[in-house]
Amino acid sequence: MNKTDAIARRILGWKLNRWDRWYDYEKGVFINDSDFQPGQNLDHAMMVAEKLENLGYKFSAAGECEVWFNDVRATGETLPQAITNAAYSIIENTSVINSSTLWRKLC
């Protein structure tokens, strides 16, 4: 799974409808893979940032290629890449936390 797929599933809550299309249950629309490119499109990246803010993360940008979501810092060649990298870092960190919590419950 690439960064865009992980962000669509874990942050935006979209479901894979077909191999090349997502379904956004909140809006009731289908989104083609090629129509969601947060690493290249600032509007798409800001949509991810807004969703993270709704989930309790405070977004701040330091220039054109560095962003923060709470204590998660990421950089990229562009602002959309930095936002995408930070969002993916949050996903990776949250997955580790969730799996360790799961193991504590199981043991």
Side-chain angles (χ1 to χ4, degrees):
M1 181 180 329
N2 65 34
K3 289 180 184 181
T4 302
D5 290 342
I7 290 168
R9 288 181 191 208
R10 301 283 312 272
I11 294 175
L12 299 175
W14 295 352
K15 304 297 179 203
L16 193 60
N17 177 262
R18 272 189 345 207
W19 64 273
D20 66 340
R21 184 170 72 183
W22 298 97
Y23 184 70
D24 180 353
Y25 284 96
E26 290 179 4
K27 296 180 182 172
V29 296
F30 292 99
I31 299 102
N32 288 324
D33 244 2
S34 60
D35 293 336
F36 180 64
Q37 300 297 320
Q40 290 123 15
N41 185 309
L42 184 58
D43 290 335
H44 298 169
M46 292 308 295
M47 180 174 60
V48 173
E50 284 179 31
K51 183 67 172 187
L52 285 169
E53 284 185 322
N54 290 340
L55 295 172
Y57 290 89
K58 184 177 183 282
F59 171 72
S60 61
E64 290 293 316
C65 57
E66 182 180 14
V67 299
W68 291 86
F69 285 100
N70 293 353
D71 59 344
V72 176
R73 175 190 171 271
T75 60
E77 291 180 19
T78 63
L79 186 57
Q81 283 181 355
I83 292 170
T84 300
N85 291 340
Y88 190 71
S89 292
I90 291 169
I91 290 169
E92 287 182 320
N93 292 337
T94 304
S95 297
V96 170
I97 292 167
N98 288 344
S99 63
S100 65
T101 303
L102 175 64
W103 281 109
R104 270 188 258 137
K105 288 179 181 178
L106 292 175
C107 294

